[in-house]
Amino acid sequence: MAQCVQSVQEFIQDTFVPMVAVLCSEAAESSTRKNNLSFAELVRPFCRLTSEVHMRDPNNQSHVIKNLRINVTGIVTQPPQQTAIRKLLSEVVSASQPAEGLVANVITAGDYDLNISDRSVKASVPWYNNWKDTLMHLSSSKFHAATTPWFEAYRESFFQSMSPSDHEFLHHYLACMLVASSRDSDPVDQFLKLSQEQHRIQHSSDYSFPKWFIPNTLKYYVLLHDVSEGEEQRAESVYEEMKQRYGSQGCYLLKFNSRLPSSGTDEQIPDPWSHYLNRNNLQNQEICEDGFVPLVDKNKENSTNALELDGLDSSINDRIPNDFKSHLFQEDGLVKSGGLDGPNRPKPEMVNDSIKQNTATAHGLSLTLTDHDRIRQFIQEFTFRGLLPHIEKTIRQLNDQLVSRKGLSRSLFTATKKWFSGSKVPEKTLTELKNASSILYPPEAPELQIRKMADLCFLVQHYDLAYSCYHTAKKDFLNDQAMLYAAGALEMAAASVFLQSGAQRQYPSHYMETAIQTYKDLCKNLVLAERCTLLSAEILKSQAKYSEAATLLIRMTSEDSDLRSALLLEQAAHCFINMRTPMVRKFAFHMILAGHRFAKADQRKHALRCYSQAMQVYKGKGWSLAEDHINFTIGRQSFTLRQLDNAVSAFRHILINDSKQTAAQQEAFLREYLYVYKSVNQLSPDGPLPQLPLPCINSSATRVFFGHDRRPSEGEKQAATHVSLDQEYEREASQQWKELEEQVVAVVNKGAVPLNFQPTQYCLNSQTDNLRFPVAVVEEPVTVEVVFKNPLKVPLLLKDLSLLWKFNFRDFNKSPEEDAKESISNEKVAHLKTSPSIATEVISEFQINGEETKVARLKLLPHQTGELHILGVVYNLSTVQSSPTQDGMDYSPGMQIGGSYLNASNLRLGKSGSKQQAPHSLHQSSPSDPLEYFHGLSWTEGKAPHGLSVRGRQDLEIQGPRLNNTKEEKTSVKYGSDRRLDPIITEAMPLLEVFFINFPTGLLCGEIRKTYVEFVNVSKCPLTGLKVVCKDPDFFSFGSKTAALTPLSPTASENCSAYKTVVIDCACMSSAVTTSVSPTDFGMDTGNPLWVTDVPLPDSVLLPGASVQLPMWLRGPDEEGVHEINFLFYYESTKPHSKLSHRVLRHTAIICTSRSLSVKATACRSNVLEAEGKSDSDNLLVFLDVANINTSEAGVREFHIIQVSSGSEHWKLQKCINPAEDKDAKLGSRERAKLCFRAIRYQNSEATSCIEGKYIFADIVLGSEQIISATTPCADFFFQSCYAARSRKMIPQTTTGPGRPKTTDLAKLVQMCSEVDLNVIVLWKAYVVEDNKQLILEGQLHVALESIGKEASSLPQVQEAQEMALLKFVRPEQPQLPARPSMEQLSHLIKISLHYPEYYDHPFHQKSLCIVPVTLVLFNCCQIEVDVIIDLRHKATGPEMLEIHGSFTWLGQTQYKIQLKGQEVYTVPLKACFVHAGVYNLGTPRVFARLADQNVQCETSQQNSTPALIIINNM
């Protein structure tokens, strides 16, 4: 329960105080009116005694009274109307609101931080969030609480408005002040008239109101003397006469108005009346002329209290006019329609105006501080000399009467034990008493006399005696079944026990519970039940029994009074939050209930406050339905209170959260939101565009594209793929494009990439580098892709959707100081499509279905240079016209619980009463106030117009990447900038478009295809420096730089070959046709990377609007599969630009290759050596193994090998050794062919071409046409293949680690012995059947022979995964051993050849020994000296060798040691001796060699040559 300003004891004591009536003469009343006060108001601030008072009880024991207060009021002879009381209480609560602008207090309760919005907050551990304040308040407060001044104001007004009843005497008048003025003609006679009038009011049967305590009421005569007007001597004389007539203790002379009008106004006199009058100003108002209070429904009256309505049956104690018969709150001026807990109550503005008017009135203007003291002294004299002696006397009289009537002892104290110790009569239960008739006691009944005595003792704080009397009366009332009397006695008995200081008795809370139940169920008196509940709840709260207090308060809620129920539910919610273990969710739930009842009572501000406080608990906990209900209510209440920003915010939360409402309910929410938003916009039509919550925008997913859209393909004309928003971003692909651009930029900048180089990015997203401002070009569109998501289940319609931007004019050729211009924006004219600076695309309608994510692409076309800032999107948000809903559809904004909806209009504890209000939509308007609506929150379908739209904006706020480079950035959370929406518009640049004509999608491996590429300049600027960079340079070629080497068009041969062909004579086909060309003619050896290729434009410039078609030859990759080949076209403007140095165009070609032929080649040394060493000194045999590995997937029928060519700087193919009868070798499926060719090294006379770096192409034609291999495209792809292979070999050398030994010159020399720099080109044709037509495809395969004896293949070698080697630790100071030639290399140092006759005839019958001369020729293949050992001794290791060798033997020297110089030919004459005719192998000499001047222990055996067979014939 909320904390009160007073303590509980002070609250109860001030609730029940002695009542004193006032009757004034007209002159006395006019004197007090000079101070804008009545007499009762004049003395009210001084009615509390500042000193202790002593009086004696019936036992003559002294009793101390502390802090006594009396209540002085004017006499009202008629009770007030109950509707007026209800109006009063409603206005009191409405006028008391939390002060605005206060610092909110945050209370931490469990996992919740609650903002109570009150300045008086105290707390203790563990709930308070500030430990310092906790320690400070720990000694003074046990639990935290927040004041609720509206509840205290209601409670005070409620107790003051209670009219006196017959079953108790606490509100009966004990005395009456008769006030006359010294200005009266005869004051004594005026006192007599006043006394007679009081007697008539009390004892006449015409007046049943007010109530008087005892028949002999104390009359106290007060003579007012206005010092400023009256004569003091006359006043003194009249006062002396009064003392003689009434006694000195029964009268008083009060002098006041001592302040003269002529005195200065600078003197500051305190105004003690403002506190009371401001607090009670609503009670002091006249009823409004446009009254709103209905008549009492007679059906609601009951037998207990005929005046009861809404549970209130009390009067308003207020100042009265002289005609005290008429009360302020009469029924005459009331309208008989509507209720006060509804919309017809007076507007808060009217109430506040009245408060301000009353507050502005000054009081006590004629009084001085001395007058204040006189009034205070007057009240003390009246209390000490008049009232308290009268009360003491009355208590004694009542005590004597009771004792005498009961026949008991003289003292009630002594009789108490006998009364309590007697036999107890069984008390009947409440159920048994429900049918009992009410008993009315006569005024002289002893039971009522006991009650009178108890009430008197209670009023003078004699709680022990009061409790004894209440307890005795309670038993008597229960015995008589007088339940109303019994309940009153129980209530006050419990209060007496609580107020006893140091009492031994425990507070009887069951007394209060029984009294409340009796008031409610039996007596049907809700006013007394409410009073008892308020008292008991305060007492329980002071004892920290918050759970019991909350239970009492909740039980008191009902349907008859929404205001009372709302206040009690709010107090119950505060009880839950004040428990030792705070029940936060119960607090929130009961605050919602209280807010609902406040709304029904038309207390909109309090309803809004309750819902807002409850929202703190439900927010963010996943209870979406509860959040929707609360936000909906907050939105409606805020809208009604003209708090439009709060209303918009509340409805915004309903829409942007993950709602679990039905589609119909969401549609209702959306229409409500649109109506509120439209109302807000109408208040400030010229203000900035508001932020719209729907649809949701994923700002980080926003993509920006610079440039025109890609042209679609037209027949065989395919546009370059470039970049588009339809492509998904791939980080690896982006890195590849960046590397390609770096390659070409490095070439343009002579091998170095500029420091300020930034790769071109046409499409920016969340994964690209957006730290720098992107660059766009004038007259080229900027497309922004915005991702919208509709979180609702109903479709949304966005009309006139466009981008919101701001543009700063800049001329980048001038300095910033010279080019300072103002910026422009389209925020005010966003609906316009054209602008002098930026053209904006507007999408007329953009519909997003329920729960759909949809992208919108919005374009801007800049016309001027400058800085563009894309701020967001602007659009009209509206609903889609839907079909009418079925009857019975529930549209109430409720919380779904267990599959059902808890409607806001039924959100209460009790059953729904008869007070039902027609539900109204927020959009209905009344003549008095277009924003008014009834407080019922039930939604009715169809009130809001369909198609309602509001215009607003949403900003695109993109957060950059988190920085994580420096230590400071790693230890904190910092984000970089994202500039993708802030492009710089630069001056015009050339724009290239590329089209590929008849570009294939499938090729055979090695297939040659000729296509055309069209380059178009679609801008108004010429372009130059066109280059293309590709990581697969052996895939395409634009031809040779020399026109003679490039065929202009396909020849008119029968197969329309892409090669340059010549028909030759068949007689010349056995020998090779050679041609020499330079690699520079084909773009090689230019110093540029192989990836970068210049596009041969005419005059190297492409003018604006011009186009050119160039031939392009393609060669299928050697590896089968799908290949992505990236082309990057680079070009520049003819004029320099400060912001953009170049532009690029991307294209990705997808090629699917199929298998064709597999070529494997091996080079071996020829045995042909002349003994003179003059010719054929370096011949090779080249063996080709060609296999058809095509799987006929492409419809290939057969392959024809039409030509074999070679290209090398040192070698050439000479002729085909084994020509077949059919020169054109045919290979069907899975067939294989073997070819053998002789290759020779150039002679010294021919080596002049090597100096120039030219390549010799040798063509061996196997068909009828010679393909000139030294021209395009054969030579292009040959050179590209060679240089690509060479670059691949150079890569590992550049990455050689420091631990790898360098190759020495010796090893190089040895290696050169077995090296072969010969490239073989196999040209083929394939016959393909496609669509019943035969096509001829042609292609070429390359085989690079590198060393003798090592097989080379045209297929790319698959690199096997290297096994993990063991880690070796090497000392860095250990010297590295030089690399030595391998045994394989050392075995090819010497070339061996035997010269002998193949047939030799010898007459063995004449001569038994046959001696044949044999010459052994040795050739040193190295450039250095070699030591050679020749061993002619036979070392037969098996019978096979013996059979081959036979009786053959060498004659003469069997071992030779010779030294051969580099490239030296040495002959050794030998003699072979045979004894039988037969076939013999002369290749038995073993040759060992080692490098001269080398520390080699043993020689290396040289490879044996092929068998040298000789046939010996017998003649």
Side-chain angles (χ1 to χ4, degrees), residues 818-986:
E818 298 175 353
D819 191 52
K821 294 184 180 180
E822 296 181 359
S823 62
I824 63 171
S825 175
N826 69 332
E827 182 174 359
K828 300 296 183 182
V829 291
H831 60 283
L832 298 180
K833 297 183 180 180
T834 59
S835 170
S837 302
I838 304 291
T840 306
E841 180 189 18
V842 179
I843 299 178
S844 58
E845 288 190 355
F846 185 77
Q847 181 173 338
I848 311 175
N849 296 325
E851 298 181 341
E852 180 186 12
T853 300
K854 192 174 182 180
V855 298
R857 294 176 181 173
L858 305 169
K859 292 184 179 181
L860 299 175
L861 183 62
H863 299 306
Q864 296 178 349
T865 61
E867 299 173 352
L868 177 63
H869 303 279
I870 301 173
L871 306 178
V873 292
V874 58
Y875 54 91
N876 292 329
L877 176 62
S878 62
T879 57
V880 180
Q881 188 74 22
S882 59
S883 59
T885 56
Q886 298 180 357
D887 295 335
M889 180 71 72
D890 183 16
Y891 296 101
S892 59
M895 296 180 289
Q896 191 174 8
I897 303 175
S900 63
Y901 282 94
L902 179 61
N903 191 359
S905 61
N906 297 324
L907 197 58
R908 59 195 66 148
L909 291 180
K911 295 182 179 179
S912 177
S914 61
K915 182 167 61 175
Q916 297 292 335
Q917 298 183 354
H920 281 63
S921 172
L922 186 63
H923 317 295
Q924 284 184 319
S925 60
S926 62
S928 60
D929 189 351
L931 295 178
E932 281 292 333
Y933 76 108
F934 287 122
H935 59 259
L937 295 180
S938 298
W939 174 262
T940 50
E941 175 66 16
K943 300 298 181 183
H946 285 275
L948 183 68
S949 65
V950 294
R951 187 155 187 84
R953 61 184 287 180
Q954 280 203 64
D955 293 337
L956 294 173
E957 299 176 353
I958 303 177
Q959 187 181 63
R962 180 175 177 180
L963 303 178
N964 198 27
N965 298 324
T966 64
K967 181 179 180 181
E968 180 183 359
E969 294 173 351
K970 293 179 180 179
T971 55
S972 61
V973 180
K974 292 185 178 181
Y975 295 91
S977 57
D978 194 304
R979 304 294 187 183
R980 76 180 88 165
L981 297 178
D982 303 318
I984 295 176
I985 311 301
T986 187

Side-chain angles (χ1 to χ4, degrees), residues 1065-1091:
D1065 188 5
C1066 297
C1068 303
M1069 288 190 302
S1070 59
S1071 61
V1073 180
T1074 61
T1075 308
S1076 64
V1077 293
S1078 174
T1080 56
D1081 296 335
F1082 298 90
M1084 304 299 164
D1085 287 341
T1086 59
N1088 295 337
L1090 188 62
W1091 295 357

Side-chain angles (χ1 to χ4, degrees), residues 1184-1416:
L1184 295 183
D1185 186 357
V1186 185
N1188 181 0
I1189 59 175
N1190 185 266
T1191 56
S1192 300
E1193 295 175 357
V1196 179
R1197 190 177 63 185
E1198 60 184 7
F1199 286 90
H1200 290 230
I1201 302 176
I1202 58 176
Q1203 182 174 312
V1204 177
S1205 302
S1206 67
S1208 175
E1209 292 180 300
H1210 307 97
W1211 296 84
K1212 67 177 180 179
L1213 292 180
Q1214 187 183 27
K1215 62 179 180 178
C1216 182
I1217 296 179
N1218 58 337
E1221 295 180 0
D1222 186 3
K1223 298 295 183 180
D1224 191 0
K1226 298 180 181 179
L1227 294 177
S1229 178
R1230 301 295 181 180
E1231 290 185 349
R1232 184 185 299 269
K1234 290 184 179 293
L1235 301 175
C1236 182
F1237 300 90
R1238 173 178 293 174
I1240 61 173
R1241 185 188 293 270
Y1242 299 151
Q1243 301 299 324
N1244 293 334
S1245 61
E1246 300 175 347
T1248 56
S1249 62
C1250 301
I1251 301 175
E1252 299 176 1
K1254 290 188 176 183
Y1255 275 66
I1256 300 298
F1257 286 83
D1259 301 332
I1260 298 179
V1261 182
L1262 302 181
S1264 60
E1265 289 182 337
Q1266 176 191 357
I1267 295 176
I1268 308 301
S1269 61
T1271 61
T1272 298
C1274 183
D1276 296 85
F1277 293 113
F1278 164 75
F1279 284 118
Q1280 289 172 357
S1281 175
C1282 292
Y1283 278 80
R1286 186 179 304 174
S1287 63
R1288 285 193 292 267
K1289 291 180 181 179
M1290 293 174 62
I1291 291 176
Q1293 294 181 5
T1294 58
T1295 59
T1296 301
R1300 181 169 180 174
K1302 297 182 180 180
T1303 305
T1304 61
D1305 295 338
L1306 176 63
K1308 288 182 179 180
L1309 293 175
V1310 174
Q1311 185 178 359
M1312 290 174 58
C1313 298
S1314 58
E1315 280 187 352
V1316 178
D1317 182 16
L1318 178 61
N1319 298 278
V1320 179
I1321 306 172
V1322 178
L1323 294 100
W1324 52 263
K1325 289 184 179 180
Y1327 294 87
V1328 180
V1329 177
E1330 183 178 339
D1331 297 334
N1332 297 324
K1333 295 181 181 180
Q1334 178 171 310
L1335 302 178
I1336 300 178
L1337 306 180
E1338 54 190 356
Q1340 63 187 56
L1341 298 175
H1342 307 135
V1343 182
L1345 291 172
E1346 298 177 353
S1347 61
I1348 296 175
K1350 184 178 180 181
E1351 185 182 69
S1353 175
S1354 63
L1355 298 178
Q1357 299 297 324
V1358 179
Q1359 296 182 356
E1360 298 181 357
Q1362 297 182 356
E1363 297 182 0
M1364 186 177 296
L1366 295 177
L1367 183 62
K1368 296 182 179 180
F1369 296 93
V1370 181
R1371 294 180 180 178
E1373 64 273 6
Q1374 184 177 2
Q1376 299 177 358
L1377 298 177
R1380 294 179 177 274
S1382 62
M1383 297 298 294
E1384 178 69 19
Q1385 294 173 346
L1386 294 176
S1387 64
H1388 292 87
L1389 296 178
I1390 303 300
K1391 181 179 179 181
I1392 305 170
S1393 178
L1394 292 174
H1395 292 262
Y1396 58 92
E1398 295 183 3
Y1399 299 93
Y1400 194 84
D1401 298 332
H1402 180 71
F1404 285 97
H1405 61 279
Q1406 297 177 2
K1407 205 174 190 178
S1408 60
L1409 295 178
C1410 176
I1411 300 175
V1412 179
V1414 178
T1415 303
L1416 175 63

Side-chain angles (χ1 to χ4, degrees), residues 737-756:
W737 290 115
K738 178 182 178 182
E739 293 175 359
L740 292 177
E741 188 172 358
E742 287 179 349
Q743 287 284 339
V744 67
V745 170
V747 170
V748 173
N749 290 275
K750 300 179 180 180
V753 179
L755 297 178
N756 59 349

Side-chain angles (χ1 to χ4, degrees), residues 4-16:
C4 301
V5 177
Q6 295 176 311
S7 66
V8 183
Q9 289 79 4
E10 292 174 348
F11 159 67
I12 299 177
Q13 289 175 2
D14 287 351
T15 301
F16 303 102

Side-chain angles (χ1 to χ4, degrees), residues 188 240-247:
V188 177
E240 290 296 331
E241 185 180 354
M242 291 171 58
K243 288 195 289 184
Q244 293 177 3
R245 182 183 293 267
Y246 306 118

